[in-house]
Amino acid sequence: MEGNFSEALLLMGVGLATVFVVLLLVICFGNLLIKAVNKFAPEEEKPKQIASKPVAALVDGAVQQAINKAVEQLTGGKGRVEKIVKL
Amino acid sequence: MGDILERIYGMTAFQSIIDQPSFLIMYLLAFVLLYLGIKKQYEPLLLIPIAFGVLIANFPGGGMGVLATDGEGMVHFLKDGKEVVRNIYEMSLPEIAHDLGVMNFLYYALIKTGLLPPIIFMGVGALTDFGPMLRNLKLAIFGAGAQFGIFAVLLVACNWFTMKEAASLAIIGGADGPTAIFTTIKLAPHLLGPIAIAAYSYMALVPVIVPLVVKLTCSKNELSINMKQQDKLYPSNTVIKNERALKIIFPIAVTTVVAIIVPSAVPLVGMLMFGNLIKEVGASTSRIFDAASNAIMNSATIFLGLCVGATMTVDAFLNWQTIGIVAGGFLAFGFSIFGGIMLVKLFNLFSKKKINPLIGATGLSAVPMASRVANEIALKYDPRNHVLNYCMSSNVSGVIGSAVAAGILIAFLG
């Protein structure tokens, strides 16, 4: 048991020190990465805006009318269609 | 007629339960765990499968319990009415399925191989946001202080347990279920059931344990330290201009650093960071991100829970070791929170910029529950002191820290 205790004590020292070193390295690397990214890729690429097509361009009048009627029927006349998006 | 009735009676589990009433304790345990998972919502995703695994494993004749092996892997089982002794590691998986049942097959294929914990870590990574940690990078060091409980309990437990068993018990202090299970599979698989139950139960009790330790160790003044005010007084000179690029490079860098220093932690940290990478890449990996964070993780969780529960058979669970694990697990948890708080206090002694000790308390994993609990405590002392984002930094780094600690234990004792 005494051997176990000294081994556990050794593991405690090695273990805690290693965790500290790893997290310190993560912090240092993180800071270096922040500096590198700020220097070489400072601008965040903005997703290209896809111009939203008007509803009329996506569906023809008859389809739009059918959707409107279906929504009206389902919601008892309380709901209305604001936007139709093609998935 | 009497013969038929006798055979019907023999088919049921009544006689075995009467012969060994300790089965009833296991049913009671399963019912309590099911109640906690279903009604009290304590970690229901894992506690319910574990509890159900306990229940089905303990019906005599059901063949759903995972057979306990001795140190050399020998198992005793009945085949064609005769007792057979075989080395389980020399049996093929189809043989295990045929002779020992489907649950043993699942256990030896998915758990004993160490497959599921890294798979779950991949899912956890896919659900983790390293943004708060990157924005408050210095606070990540407090994730190291909160690993104190692991090694402190190792020191105590080695007096009653073997080193491998003590290490498996101590890793409960990392407050990370998959890490505890992974370490136990590698070091002391016969203790898997009670260690998993203790780990997940204490994780569910974070809202009770964290306030208790904080109350015992922190003053009102310390808990009132307003982090935003401190940031205004001592502003950081680090500005992140492109967080998206940083979040993509970060998991790759962390994996590389950890893999070089503690290679035995790579199954956990590597998979955690891989899961995170596919999340951060965005639209081009959205399909595998979706699979990792939903279908794969959920399937892994079901099988992990059921198999862990099925290891908790009467013989494997009802003994003094289990009581030691329950007590030791609580100590490990408490010491980990204490270690994190003490590191913050030490830091505050030498720094002008003061840190709220709650950020140290959340250095144990249990993401994000520990941070949410710490935030609630901070708001009690100062309604404008929102520390959630700061706590998340040490909380997430605690996941890395506990995986590294597990890697060290496995490397030294495995």
Side-chain angles (χ1 to χ4, degrees), chain A residues 47-53:
Chain A
K48 284 176 193 167
Q49 292 281 324
I50 301 163
S52 54
K53 290 181 184 174

Side-chain angles (χ1 to χ4, degrees), chain B residues 118-128 271-272 275 289 292-294 297:
Chain B
I119 296 277
I120 290 183
F121 248 63
M122 177 177 73
V124 171
L127 296 171
T128 302
M271 293 301 275
L272 179 84
F289 158 67
S293 57
N294 290 304
M297 190 180 177

Side-chain angles (χ1 to χ4, degrees), chain A residues 9 14 22 28 43 64 67-68:
Chain A
L9 205 61
V14 173
V22 168
C28 293
E43 290 294 312
Q64 198 183 339
I67 293 171
N68 284 342

Side-chain angles (χ1 to χ4, degrees), chain A residues 18 22, chain B residues 182 255-270 403-404 406-408 410-411:
Chain A
T18 312
V22 168
Chain B
F182 187 75
T255 308
T256 312
V257 170
V258 174
I260 290 169
I261 299 173
V262 195
S264 48
V266 174
L268 295 177
V269 178
V404 170
I408 294 158
I410 293 166

Side-chain angles (χ1 to χ4, degrees), chain B residues 214-231:
Chain B
V214 165
K215 204 174 178 183
L216 289 172
T217 51
C218 301
S219 68
K220 193 184 167 190
N221 282 345
E222 287 172 322
L223 295 172
S224 305
I225 294 172
N226 189 308
M227 293 303 294
K228 281 203 177 117
Q229 274 177 7
Q230 292 293 320
D231 273 351

